[in-house]
Amino acid sequence: MNIDEPNAAPGRRSAFGEPPGSAVGLPLPAAFYDRDPALVARQLLGCVLRMVDGHGAVSGRIIETEAYLGPHDAACHAVAGRTARTWHLFGPPGIAYVYFIYGMHWCVNAVTREDGFGSAVLIRALAPLEGVESMRVRRPRARHDAQLCNGPGKLCAALGIDRSYDGASLTGASALTIHAGESITDDLVLVGPRVGISKAVELPLRFRCDSSRFPQPDAD
DNA sequence: CATTTGATGTTCT
DNA sequence: GAACATCAAATGC
């Protein structure tokens, strides 16, 4: 796979037997994540975050991300150093950094750059792809399917991501993975400052795209 | 519609 | 003790 174009057509479809139209590709390799988190955040748009448990696959296309650059970035958890909480944020590229926020929500990041450097990309929103029924069970208060995964806490609830996935590999051979998906051209990408940041520079580090342009999952 | 507020607990100052 | 990479219900138009 060419990590500079992870969603390019060749090799996009995986051999894992996804239903036709799921557009789930190969798991992204660790080298994909061993780069500038802002670039990784942009290129994760259109890729697929996927959880496989005893009940089957639950997944969604990534439609919003946020980059956290490193210890020099006042909004990044790495500013506090490598503590028990941020241990995996400083881990090798391609693992998950999962943390608990506001007393009730989990958030999942893809760790970027080399082992020992604390930077990551927060996965902020998904467009549901597989396992919508499981998502509805896990998020009974969501009134519409469009609201199952349209926030960082919501998508962790919908996929069942919690502390037990902190430090887990995202690159394959595990329950939680990120796969190549649909290519997102620049004209579909909206860029803005990070959400809810009072400190730190207001660089355009948030990336999002509209889910309506993607192939829709098969109706139930 | 938009804006405000309550829930809830960990982390850091 | 305050802040927090949030969510959903309640309130105000």
Side-chain angles (χ1 to χ4, degrees):
Chain A
M1 181 187 304
N2 174 10
I3 62 171
D4 293 323
E5 294 187 55
N7 296 331
R12 176 196 296 167
R13 190 128 354 224
S14 90
F16 299 150
E18 288 84 0
S22 69
V24 175
L26 297 170
L28 297 175
F32 172 83
Y33 301 96
D34 191 12
R35 298 179 299 154
D36 173 10
L39 180 61
V40 173
R42 161 67 183 86
Q43 294 188 354
L44 278 175
L45 293 181
C47 296
V48 175
L49 180 66
R50 188 168 199 248
M51 171 72 79
V52 179
D53 60 19
H55 302 284
V58 183
S59 70
R61 196 180 302 287
I62 297 170
I63 58 173
E64 184 170 336
T65 59
E66 242 170 34
Y68 289 85
L69 304 179
H72 58 293
D73 177 355
C76 182
H77 290 173
V79 291
R82 193 171 195 175
T83 65
R85 176 207 199 190
T86 63
W87 187 259
H88 295 295
L89 173 60
F90 288 80
I95 66 171
Y97 165 51
V98 181
Y99 66 89
F100 192 58
I101 192 70
Y102 292 116
M104 55 192 99
H105 303 295
W106 298 98
C107 291
V108 62
N109 297 252
V111 171
T112 53
R113 297 196 53 176
E114 69 274 15
D115 196 2
F117 190 89
S119 68
V121 173
L122 173 67
I123 310 300
R124 289 197 58 88
L126 307 176
L129 213 54
E130 302 170 279
V132 175
E133 280 296 338
S134 294
M135 295 184 185
R136 293 187 188 122
V137 171
R138 287 175 168 139
R139 300 210 57 238
R141 310 203 75 104
R143 301 182 62 96
H144 303 101
D145 287 354
Q147 305 180 113
L148 287 169
C149 298
N150 63 336
K154 299 177 191 180
L155 71 90
C156 283
L159 269 61
I161 298 170
D162 59 21
R163 163 91 5 126
S164 68
Y165 293 91
D166 191 25
S169 170
L170 297 169
T171 62
S174 58
L176 186 63
T177 46
I178 298 180
H179 299 251
E182 296 291 329
S183 182
I184 307 301
T185 54
D186 285 342
D187 61 301
L188 299 181
V189 178
L190 305 172
V191 182
R194 283 179 303 215
V195 174
I197 304 299
S198 54
K199 50 195 171 188
V201 288
E202 289 200 4
L203 291 172
L205 296 174
R206 180 167 58 106
F207 301 84
R208 59 193 172 93
C209 60
D210 197 326
S211 63
S212 63
R213 299 271 201 130
F214 295 126
Q216 297 301 116
D218 295 337
D220 294 330

